[in-house]
Amino acid sequence: MNLIRQAEQQIFADFVKVENVPEIMHSYIIPYARRTVYGNARVFVFKQLLEAPPYRVWQHHAITSQVTEIHPRVDAPGLHLGVTLSSLNVHSMMRGGFTEHVQQGDLNLFYVTQEEKAVTIHPGTHCFLNIEFDEALLPSLADNAFLEETILPAIANNLRGGVINMNGVTMDAYCSLLLEQIRNPLGGNTFARSRYISKQCELLLIHFFARLQKELVEYPPLTNEDVNSIDSVKAHIKANTTGISTVELCQLFDIPVAKLQEGFKGLYGTSVEAFVILWRLEKAALLLTKKDACLEKIAKETGYKNVDTFVNSFTRYYNCTPEQFRKL
């Protein structure tokens, strides 16, 4: 099951009123979704659920012709990383109990309960995504001291639901990349897609908590030439994915190591080394969806010295072997 893809989202963009949603589109666009009608057909909510253990990914498309409230319904209380894909007005007890305007691209950690506060939305088409996960996963996602000092007390004081993080996190390039991979998963079968999305959810949550823990870093200013050079480095990594080192990249694009490392982190929210690993394994996952690609060829094309090293790296990253990922 795939979440709604870009072309289908564009179709949704034209549905600014409830009555504009053709009945035939309900099954054509989102055959796995549930349609919910809130009081007097004021708002349609198309909800999709994708199971990617230990995570559950929810995507909602809300279409309304007037200002209205949505009351979230959950099976059990839990933590949700909420990604706002359109502007909403959210009432947050954790941040003082005032109505806040949440910008498109904001990420927030919610403790969601059956008593969750209403979300007010204005006329139009809105899309937002939640990654649901268990509190027991927190130690694998963030520093223990940070959890004990900040996150766990916030959960304990917020058991009736609301935003946990006092400071919002805005989507950077790395968040956008991971979100796109979550919404457009690779894999030729349900098991492979589930493992793939699970890994991207883990990376997104780790990145979210890392940004919460660190003070805003002021990176040295970059010239247009610097930005173009760093963009070229990123494009080269994505095009080649052969495990090239940072030093080799600096020599190839004539840019100092410190400037590349700091500039890349500032522009894209992650290190050069982490991005190289990500794209090597992204390419490997893509090649595994092609039946004619043998493991030896995939290992070579993604820069691994031998098949065993590739298999071990892939298995650690996706929590499944390449053969499990590919098997139909």
Side-chain angles (χ1 to χ4, degrees), residues 16 32 36-37 42 129 169 183 186 190 211 215 219 257:
V16 294
Y32 298 95
T36 305
V37 181
R42 288 181 303 172
L129 180 142
V169 171
R183 299 174 78 193
L186 293 175
T190 302
R211 292 182 62 190
E215 296 181 2
Y219 292 100
V257 173

Side-chain angles (χ1 to χ4, degrees), residues 89-219:
N89 290 320
V90 179
H91 183 268
S92 166
M93 295 300 292
M94 186 60 196
R95 295 185 186 164
F98 300 105
T99 299
E100 297 185 12
H101 184 65
V102 179
Q103 299 294 328
Q104 183 173 353
D106 283 354
L107 284 77
N108 290 287
L109 182 65
F110 291 86
Y111 187 77
V112 180
T113 72
Q114 283 89 347
E115 301 179 29
E116 181 63 36
K117 313 303 180 299
V119 175
T120 303
I121 61 175
H122 51 81
T125 303
H126 307 276
C127 181
F128 43 103
L129 180 142
N130 285 6
I131 298 175
E132 179 183 353
F133 63 102
D134 191 89
E135 186 178 325
L137 290 174
L138 285 173
S140 66
L141 302 171
D143 178 78
N144 283 332
F146 172 74
L147 293 176
E148 293 175 3
E149 295 172 5
T150 306
I151 300 300
L152 296 180
I155 294 174
N157 293 328
N158 216 25
L159 293 180
R160 295 186 64 187
V163 179
I164 298 301
N165 51 297
M166 290 296 291
N167 300 315
V169 171
T170 56
M171 189 179 298
D172 58 19
Y174 189 56
C175 289
S176 299
L177 180 149
L178 294 172
L179 183 63
E180 178 64 20
Q181 292 165 345
I182 291 169
R183 299 174 78 193
N184 296 281
L186 293 175
N189 57 87
T190 302
F191 175 82
R193 286 195 298 271
S194 175
R195 292 296 189 182
Y196 180 89
I197 294 172
S198 175
K199 185 61 184 186
Q200 311 312 321
C201 289
E202 177 189 354
L203 292 173
L204 184 57
L205 282 161
I206 289 173
H207 186 62
F208 170 78
F209 281 112
R211 292 182 62 190
L212 277 184
Q213 292 177 65
K214 296 178 180 178
E215 296 181 2
L216 185 63
V217 178
E218 291 291 338
Y219 292 100

